[in-house]
Amino acid sequence: MQEARPMTTAKDIMHPGARWIPAHETVDRAAQLMRELDVGALPIADADERLCGILTDRDIVVGCVAMGHDPSKVTAGEMAKGTPRWIDAGADVSAVLREMQGHQIRRLPVIENKRLVGMISEADLAQHLSEDQIAGWAERVYAESGTERLKNAGSMT
């Protein structure tokens, strides 16, 4: 009789100690915090500490600086777009993969008791999942988003 292996959860594979950036903080402060924490993304919290988006280093460069906006005058909340995605700390790793693949996202905040407790990134997946799981995840997240980029690039001519 085989002993049942415990389920791997989001909390098991996440990077603990993630920090919010308040929506009212400026983008330049977000960039400074990213540098201090050595991260490429920060969850954005509203006044009630609810997730209202994620700000990435790429968002700052492409969506603010390259557009000619002053990062000391644009807030993190102004940069938040779309519906924020997150996962419960107790969710099975298969649910993590479905959420990330289904929404083509590379970083996923982990919430426990309505509080941010960590983030799951590509690096976390690579450390904790099998090569087959990583390959399937990458194929769905990158191949599909690459196809969309190609379609969009073709329409710019």
Side-chain angles (χ1 to χ4, degrees):
M1 183 186 222
Q2 272 189 320
E3 195 174 308
R5 289 182 26 214
M7 174 181 78
T8 301
T9 66
K11 192 169 187 173
D12 295 330
I13 66 169
M14 74 179 189
H15 185 87
R19 298 232 337 248
W20 298 107
I21 184 87
H24 68 270
E25 280 289 354
T26 59
V27 170
D28 64 340
R29 178 63 192 125
Q32 292 163 2
L33 188 56
M34 286 180 190
R35 183 190 63 219
E36 289 167 21
L37 299 173
D38 192 27
V39 297
L42 291 170
I44 304 169
D46 66 14
D48 297 321
E49 288 195 1
R50 288 181 305 209
L51 181 67
C52 62
I54 293 183
L55 181 64
T56 67
D57 47 9
R58 186 173 194 284
D59 294 334
I60 293 170
V61 172
V62 175
C64 183
V65 177
M67 298 297 287
H69 301 299
D70 182 346
S72 68
K73 298 200 180 340
V74 176
T75 66
E78 291 171 317
M79 298 292 296
K81 294 179 186 80
T83 303
R85 308 306 309 179
W86 57 274
I87 196 89
D88 185 84
D92 182 78
V93 81
S94 62
V96 170
L97 293 174
R98 278 193 307 276
E99 185 70 17
M100 294 176 85
Q101 290 166 345
H103 297 282
Q104 294 183 315
I105 54 177
R106 296 175 182 95
R107 298 171 178 100
L108 188 62
V110 180
I111 307 292
E112 185 174 54
N113 298 321
K114 299 182 182 179
R115 294 300 218 210
L116 177 71
V117 293
M119 288 279 279
I120 296 174
S121 69
E122 294 168 274
D124 299 311
L125 295 177
Q127 288 179 353
H128 294 92
L129 302 180
S130 72
E131 286 183 29
D132 287 345
Q133 286 174 307
I134 295 296
W137 177 86
E139 182 180 321
R140 288 178 192 90
V141 170
Y142 286 105
E144 292 172 14
S145 60
T147 301
E148 286 302 310
R149 277 197 294 276
L150 288 175
K151 275 196 265 181
N152 293 334
S155 67
M156 293 169 136
T157 56

